Amino acid sequence: MDQELIMTIQGYGKFFIILFVFVVFYSYAYSLYKRQKTGERDFEKYSDIVHDDSFDSSPLEKRDNKIEKND
């Protein structure tokens, strides 16, 4: 293979990798936006952790305390 063909293949490879990363990032951002709008999850309460990180603060979500032990 000559150098021009290798550089062309590298150029197309970089383009498709950047395109893939772009699509993945924007689909993730859209899913966050959609979940926030529909009320499925409130992401703003997670951002409040930065301002309220004391030991006495209440938990954000309730957890099931069902722990299965496989003895």
Side-chain angles (χ1 to χ4, degrees):
M1 281 196 231
D2 59 340
Q3 185 147 350
E4 185 177 341
L5 180 62
I6 292 172
M7 289 179 64
T8 303
I9 292 171
Q10 285 179 343
Y12 281 119
K14 288 178 185 178
F15 173 76
F16 286 115
I17 288 173
I18 290 172
L19 182 66
F20 175 74
V21 170
F22 177 81
V23 168
V24 168
F25 173 75
Y26 275 99
S27 62
Y28 177 69
Y30 177 73
S31 72
L32 291 177
Y33 171 76
K34 190 173 86 172
R35 285 190 274 169
Q36 178 77 22
K37 279 293 194 188
T38 59
E40 181 181 336
R41 183 162 287 194
D42 184 19
F43 292 105
E44 290 184 14
K45 69 180 177 183
Y46 295 111
S47 65
D48 291 338
I49 292 175
V50 174
H51 301 292
D52 185 25
D53 63 346
S54 68
F55 184 73
D56 299 329
S57 61
S58 62
L60 296 176
E61 296 178 352
K62 293 183 179 182
R63 292 181 61 184
D64 293 335
N65 289 332
K66 298 177 184 177
I67 299 174
E68 296 181 14
K69 291 184 179 181
N70 296 330
D71 292 325

